[in-house]
Amino acid sequence: MLTNIFSLKPEELAVKMKEQFPAFRYRQVMHWLYNKLVFDPEQMTDLPAPVKEYLSKNFSFALPKIDVVQKADDETAKYRLKLEDNEVIEMVLIPYEKKRTLCVSSQVGCARACAFCATGKLGLKRNLEVHEIVGQILLASAICLPERLTNLVFMGMGEPLDNLDNVLASLKIIQAEDSLTFSPRRTTISTCGLPDKIRQIANSKVRTKLAVSLNSAIDDKRDILMPVNKLHPLSELKEALFYYLNRVNFRVTFEYIMIPEVNMGGEDIKALKKYVGDLSCKINFIPYNQVPDLPYRSPTEREIDEFLSRAQVLNQAITLRRSRGANICGACGQLAGT
Ligand code: SF4
């Protein structure tokens, strides 16, 4: 089987091409792929025939195929993508003011079974390969033309830290100068909280922001919402976050999905204040998006207001994040490949 060209680090492609062609041919190819976003060697008009032939014979240029597109009232677009083995994933493109953010998937399904999440109900089918992750980013970049994709969040299907090697390899490719030159401060990996993998990110040469899906600072409640907490309770997660913060120059973001009758009481704020007290972080509060067949409901505007006014006791920056794309099930926790 041919190597998919989008799985190669730029320096790997450079080494391969320099065996046969002058260095500037490599730079031309990179310019077509990552700048002009042209993915067919035959359309790379300034390449001579031997280079086109070399590319076609040695590499696959296959990208995930766009299968279904759904656009929400707020212009958020959810793309159902088919992979080469016919598995299905989703990516969500969110235009908002001057930003165009892509919510990327890292796995087909997810093994972590968070109680509020549609993807968690699917179970894990498989990890995505590097070229399937880079492929989503390139497809979205092409869709955004003539504008640029500005931000990337690993918050689509899957737990990115369960596929961390491929996620970091993808980031390395798209952050490289010869490719998309994506700034580390515009990339965020979101996790349910896997301490060893958080340390691995901190030790990696790839820089990225980190978001932690917290949802409760009370172990008993988090055990129910997020079974990962039974394996790695809040104290263990916090130690790993200190480790990350000591090595990486970004604040951590906590995501807190607001679910009425579950995590929006006075005791929840009290526990949250204690937990985040000494961490360099900000907190995004996200109203829960109802998922069919799950026993939770979205908060009312009044419940959101009351909770946010209680949250004023927190010392950190807090933001109300309204998930976009809710009417096409493209919002947080709603991706299920449907
Ligand atoms: S919230 Fe994230 S980690 Fe939890 S089940 Fe859903 S996709 Fe997996």
Side-chain angles (χ1 to χ4, degrees):
M1 220 164 80
L2 296 180
T3 306
N4 189 298
I5 200 158
F6 306 114
S7 65
L8 293 179
K9 294 188 197 98
E11 61 270 26
E12 289 172 333
L13 181 62
V15 169
K16 282 180 194 284
M17 285 197 69
K18 275 177 203 165
E19 285 167 8
Q20 303 201 31
F21 304 105
F24 75 94
R25 293 293 182 206
Y26 153 78
R27 285 195 297 276
Q28 279 180 305
V29 172
M30 290 301 284
H31 192 70
W32 279 110
L33 293 177
Y34 291 97
N35 200 289
K36 294 192 173 176
L37 302 165
V38 169
F39 309 125
D40 175 1
E42 285 309 313
Q43 291 177 26
M44 300 178 180
T45 46
D46 57 1
L47 295 184
V51 180
K52 288 181 188 172
E53 196 187 337
Y54 164 84
L55 291 172
S56 307
K57 276 198 172 155
N58 288 280
F59 303 106
S60 156
F61 289 74
L63 291 169
K65 287 205 169 51
I66 296 177
D67 186 28
V68 180
V69 184
Q70 284 176 277
K71 276 213 171 165
D73 303 339
D74 61 14
E75 288 299 300
T76 297
K78 181 169 81 166
Y79 297 84
R80 193 172 78 176
L81 305 176
K82 255 200 185 159
L83 306 175
E84 283 170 287
D85 60 358
N86 281 329
E87 290 293 356
V88 168
I89 54 166
E90 288 175 345
M91 67 176 193
V92 182
L93 190 54
I94 309 156
Y96 186 60
E97 294 175 350
K98 286 189 175 161
K99 282 191 198 169
R100 283 161 299 281
T101 301
L102 180 69
C103 186
V104 193
S105 289
S106 54
Q107 298 182 304
V108 184
C110 181
R112 295 293 166 180
C114 297
F116 51 83
C117 173
T119 313
K121 282 170 61 184
L122 300 174
L124 176 66
K125 292 197 176 160
R126 69 169 175 87
N127 283 334
L128 293 191
E129 301 292 338
V130 172
H131 68 268
E132 293 169 330
I133 299 172
V134 173
Q136 293 172 69
I137 299 160
L138 290 176
L139 281 177
S141 299
I143 292 166
C144 287
L145 284 174
E147 309 293 339
R148 278 187 70 122
L149 182 67
T150 60
N151 293 66
L152 203 59
V153 290
F154 281 84
M155 293 183 188
M157 292 170 82
E159 163 53 55
L161 272 55
D162 277 334
N163 187 18
L164 188 56
D165 290 344
N166 287 352
V167 166
L168 290 178
S170 308
L171 282 178
K172 194 160 187 206
I173 291 170
I174 59 131
Q175 289 178 355
E177 237 177 68
D178 288 344
S179 73
L180 293 175
T181 331
F182 227 100
S183 161
R185 61 181 55 255
R186 293 182 177 275
T187 62
T188 303
I189 298 181
S190 174
T191 178
C192 62
L194 303 174
D196 287 352
K197 299 295 175 75
I198 291 172
R199 287 190 178 85
Q200 191 182 328
I201 294 176
N203 293 334
S204 147
K205 289 204 176 87
V206 180
R207 283 289 167 256
T208 179
K209 288 184 172 179
L210 184 68
V212 176
S213 184
L214 188 66
N215 307 318
S216 178
I218 300 172
D219 273 315
D220 287 347
K221 283 194 189 187
R222 199 166 187 267
D223 283 351
I224 295 169
L225 287 173
M226 307 181 71
V228 67
N229 199 66
K230 292 183 199 157
L231 299 170
H232 306 292
L234 287 159
S235 56
E236 218 185 289
L237 172 61
K238 196 165 171 178
E239 276 174 33
L241 293 176
F242 274 125
Y243 186 92
Y244 171 88
L245 288 167
N246 280 332
R247 282 159 184 78
V248 180
N249 204 15
F250 294 129
R251 275 187 304 179
V252 167
T253 299
F254 285 115
E255 310 281 357
Y256 194 105
I257 298 177
M258 296 181 280
I259 313 176
E261 288 96 39
V262 175
N263 63 359
M264 296 181 68
E267 60 165 13
D268 297 294
I269 289 289
K270 211 169 146 192
L272 185 58
K273 183 172 166 62
K274 194 167 168 213
Y275 189 70
V276 300
D278 45 357
L279 278 168
S280 169
C281 65
K282 61 175 181 165
I283 305 163
N284 289 338
F285 290 108
I286 307 162
Y288 178 66
N289 293 302
Q290 206 128 350
V291 173
D293 301 331
L294 291 183
Y296 305 112
R297 70 171 174 90
S298 303
T300 61
E301 288 303 315
R302 193 169 157 190
E303 285 168 328
I304 294 171
D305 287 349
E306 279 173 12
F307 186 70
L308 289 182
S309 57
R310 282 203 213 114
Q312 297 305 321
V313 296
L314 298 169
N315 296 323
Q316 283 79 4
I318 61 170
T319 317
L320 174 63
R321 260 297 146 82
R322 293 198 182 267
S323 273
R324 300 176 70 78
N327 70 328
I328 51 166
C329 285
C332 278
Q334 289 187 321
L335 300 184
T338 52

CSV table of all heavy atoms in Angstrom, one decimal, residues 40-45 52-53 56:
chain,number,residue,atom,x,y,z
A,40,ASP,N,-4.0,17.0,-5.9
A,40,ASP,CA,-3.9,16.1,-7.0
A,40,ASP,C,-2.6,16.5,-7.8
A,40,ASP,O,-2.5,17.6,-8.3
A,40,ASP,CB,-5.1,16.2,-7.9
A,40,ASP,CG,-5.0,15.4,-9.2
A,40,ASP,OD1,-3.9,14.7,-9.3
A,40,ASP,OD2,-5.9,15.4,-10.0
A,41,PRO,N,-1.6,15.6,-7.8
A,41,PRO,CA,-0.3,16.0,-8.5
A,41,PRO,C,-0.6,16.5,-9.9
A,41,PRO,O,0.2,17.4,-10.4
A,41,PRO,CB,0.5,14.7,-8.5
A,41,PRO,CG,-0.1,13.9,-7.5
A,41,PRO,CD,-1.5,14.3,-7.3
A,42,GLU,N,-1.5,16.0,-10.6
A,42,GLU,CA,-1.8,16.4,-12.0
A,42,GLU,C,-2.2,17.9,-12.1
A,42,GLU,O,-2.0,18.5,-13.1
A,42,GLU,CB,-2.9,15.5,-12.6
A,42,GLU,CG,-2.5,14.1,-13.0
A,42,GLU,CD,-1.2,14.1,-13.8
A,42,GLU,OE1,-1.1,14.9,-14.8
A,42,GLU,OE2,-0.3,13.3,-13.5
A,43,GLN,N,-2.7,18.4,-11.0
A,43,GLN,CA,-3.1,19.8,-11.1
A,43,GLN,C,-2.0,20.8,-10.6
A,43,GLN,O,-2.2,22.0,-10.5
A,43,GLN,CB,-4.3,20.0,-10.2
A,43,GLN,CG,-5.6,19.4,-10.8
A,43,GLN,CD,-6.8,19.5,-9.9
A,43,GLN,OE1,-6.9,20.4,-9.1
A,43,GLN,NE2,-7.7,18.6,-10.1
A,44,MET,N,-0.8,20.2,-10.3
A,44,MET,CA,0.3,21.0,-9.8
A,44,MET,C,1.0,21.5,-11.0
A,44,MET,O,2.0,20.9,-11.5
A,44,MET,CB,1.1,20.2,-8.8
A,44,MET,CG,0.4,19.8,-7.6
A,44,MET,SD,1.3,18.8,-6.5
A,44,MET,CE,0.1,18.4,-5.2
A,45,THR,N,0.6,22.6,-11.6
A,45,THR,CA,0.9,23.0,-13.0
A,45,THR,C,2.4,23.3,-13.2
A,45,THR,O,2.8,23.2,-14.3
A,45,THR,CB,0.0,24.2,-13.4
A,45,THR,OG1,0.0,25.1,-12.4
A,45,THR,CG2,-1.4,23.7,-13.7
A,52,LYS,N,5.6,14.7,-11.1
A,52,LYS,CA,4.2,14.3,-11.0
A,52,LYS,C,4.1,12.8,-10.9
A,52,LYS,O,3.4,12.2,-10.1
A,52,LYS,CB,3.3,14.8,-12.2
A,52,LYS,CG,3.1,16.3,-12.1
A,52,LYS,CD,2.2,16.7,-13.3
A,52,LYS,CE,2.1,18.2,-13.5
A,52,LYS,NZ,1.5,18.6,-14.7
A,53,GLU,N,4.8,12.2,-11.8
A,53,GLU,CA,4.8,10.7,-11.9
A,53,GLU,C,5.3,10.1,-10.6
A,53,GLU,O,4.8,9.2,-10.1
A,53,GLU,CB,5.6,10.3,-13.1
A,53,GLU,CG,5.3,8.8,-13.5
A,53,GLU,CD,6.3,8.4,-14.6
A,53,GLU,OE1,6.8,9.2,-15.3
A,53,GLU,OE2,6.5,7.2,-14.7
A,56,SER,N,2.7,10.4,-7.9
A,56,SER,CA,1.6,9.5,-8.0
A,56,SER,C,2.0,8.1,-7.8
A,56,SER,O,1.2,7.3,-7.2
A,56,SER,CB,1.0,9.6,-9.4
A,56,SER,OG,0.7,10.9,-9.7
